[in-house]
Amino acid sequence: MTQTKRIAVIPGDGIGVDVTREATAAISAAATKHNILLDLDELPYGSEYYLRTGIGLPREERLRIGRDYDGILLGAVGDPRVPDNRTAREIVLGLRFDLDLYINLRPILLIADGLTSLKGKSVQDIQFVIFRENTEGSYGGIGGQQHAGTTSEIALGQIVATWRGTHRIIRAAFEYAEKHKLTRVCVVHKQNAIPHVYGLWLRVFRQVAQDYPNVEASEMLVDRAAMEIIRAPEQFQVIVTSNLFGDILSDLAAMIAGGLGLAASANINPETLVLCEPVHGSAPDIAGKGIANPLAACLSAALLMDNLGFPEAAVTIDNAVRAAIFSGCVTPDLGGTKTTRQVGAFVAETISK
Ligand code: NAD
Ligand code: IPM
Ligand code: MN
């Protein structure tokens, strides 16, 4: 019997609540099946809680979560009633930054030919992963305004790139390639226009690449990469890029693999813990309608199992998601008529069989 793993579950806002309910059921069913002891602790943080109490997710509590849990399952955060986006900053970005979850792994895996929006492409063409740097870049909040609210207003926001931050994400991307017997890693950058930051990226990339002679290292400008992901996705195996580019490219790439309803992610610090969450947000346009696709959250639960050291449980969840897709038990975004609950129940029942 393995030691109990403690998981913090933060459903958050909007459809985050609906899809996390199904992902929790899936992970619990997989744990039972594989004799894994999981202690799931649901935490109330999110915009609703903030509007009621004035508490987003304070730093001390973020650090406590980091100490007390082995993993975190997050839904989504973002609510139009919190216009300064404080809750997402404190919960989503706060956890990534304070817990130093420097790898944002976003797999782009087409599960069935019929799910892609690309003409003539099939499952073997769309199988890559994005390694998104997750602790610096444009996201540090360093900057300020002068003459705010006037026509003289000046706004400054700094991009941060450190040797250490760049080195560890690039190293992680090459290590992943080697571990998974992949032969290509592509760094996506914008060195032509942002030379200081992406000059550092390219120098570190070229240096690290030398340690992996069996991996072909290539470099691509981000605008070209956005085009190539649509034109010829089969050329990519591992993409490594900065925080903002990774954010944008992962939504773009999700659309060639079935959309945001299927896009999962893991925020990882290999030394400490992992936070898994769907790539999508709280989707206010469909929140409360019962039609959000829970499969991205279920696939995120699979990533959580995998990163906690339970690959068989991860495969069990992945297979149940595939079964839902292949039997047409899907929500309207995938052309089906099922509700979030129905799809979630199908996944949990398939796991338990
Ligand atoms: P979104 O990802 O919430 O939604 C984009 C579009 O995709 C919407 O039309 C939505 O209905 C659809 N969609 C997303 N997930 C779906 C699912 N599971 N099933 C079916 N359809 C789905 O992006 P947005 O509308 O730009 O952002 C809404 C809020 O979410 C904002 O406040 C934003 O800041 C926040 N957000 C949070 C996270 C996160 O918590 N990690 C990620 C992205 C956006
Ligand atoms: C994501 C989201 C976040 C990001 C937002 C909510 C700050 O879009 O996880 O992709 O930009 O990283
Ligand atoms: Mn995003």
Side-chain angles (χ1 to χ4, degrees), residues 77 88 92-93 96 106 132 139 247 277 279:
V77 186
V92 182
L93 300 182
R96 290 179 190 166
R106 297 191 155 185
R132 169 187 179 191
Y139 276 67
D247 178 43
E277 57 175 342
V279 170

Side-chain angles (χ1 to χ4, degrees), residues 118-198:
L118 293 184
K119 202 165 51 180
K121 300 293 178 193
S122 51
V123 287
Q124 65 273 15
D125 299 316
I126 301 173
Q127 297 185 20
F128 62 94
V129 292
I130 298 175
F131 271 73
R132 169 187 179 191
E133 200 293 316
N134 215 25
T135 53
E136 42 188 54
S138 311
Y139 276 67
I142 302 178
Q145 290 136 293
Q146 193 180 19
H147 311 303
T150 74
T151 54
S152 306
E153 180 163 352
I154 301 168
L156 291 179
Q158 300 292 323
I159 305 177
V160 175
T162 65
W163 184 90
R164 176 174 170 268
T166 311
H167 185 264
R168 63 184 184 174
I169 186 70
I170 290 173
R171 175 75 70 190
F174 278 98
E175 284 293 316
Y176 180 94
E178 210 163 65
K179 182 170 169 210
H180 292 85
K181 308 213 174 340
L182 300 171
T183 54
R184 295 196 293 276
V185 176
C186 178
V187 64
V188 169
H189 68 96
K190 191 69 189 173
Q191 190 259 352
N192 56 350
I194 310 174
H196 303 300
V197 165
Y198 291 102

Side-chain angles (χ1 to χ4, degrees), residues 33 42 50-51 56 103 105 116 169 204 214 232 236 247 274 339:
K33 180 163 196 154
E42 187 165 318
Y50 169 67
L51 291 167
I103 301 168
L105 175 69
T116 186
I169 186 70
V204 173
N214 301 324
F236 298 109
D247 178 43
V274 56
T339 63

Side-chain angles (χ1 to χ4, degrees), residues 15 19 74-79 85 88 92 96 106 251 260-261 277-286 291-294 296 331 333:
I15 66 165
V19 301
L74 179 64
V77 186
D79 186 312
N85 221 18
V92 182
R96 290 179 190 166
R106 297 191 155 185
D251 267 38
L260 285 176
E277 57 175 342
V279 170
H280 66 72
S282 54
D285 55 338
I286 58 165
I291 54 164
N293 187 344
T331 43
D333 57 306

Side-chain angles (χ1 to χ4, degrees), residues 201-220:
W201 268 81
L202 289 185
R203 275 185 281 113
V204 173
F205 182 76
R206 289 169 193 165
Q207 185 192 344
V208 172
Q210 290 185 357
D211 294 338
Y212 301 86
N214 301 324
V215 178
E216 185 193 313
S218 66
E219 302 167 3
M220 194 177 285

Side-chain angles (χ1 to χ4, degrees), residues 33 38 40 48 77-78 88 137 155 179 182 190 205 210 225 234 257 272 275 277-278 298 310 318 333 344 346 351:
K33 180 163 196 154
L38 284 190
L40 298 169
E48 204 60 67
V77 186
K179 182 170 169 210
L182 300 171
K190 191 69 189 173
F205 182 76
Q210 290 185 357
E234 62 278 7
T272 55
L275 178 160
E277 57 175 342
C298 292
F310 305 116
D318 275 341
D333 57 306
F346 182 101
I351 292 169

Side-chain angles (χ1 to χ4, degrees), residues 48-64:
E48 204 60 67
Y49 185 78
Y50 169 67
L51 291 167
R52 214 171 52 240
T53 63
I55 298 168
L57 181 56
R59 188 175 145 79
E60 307 74 58
E61 177 65 353
R62 296 197 288 264
L63 297 176
R64 181 195 73 81

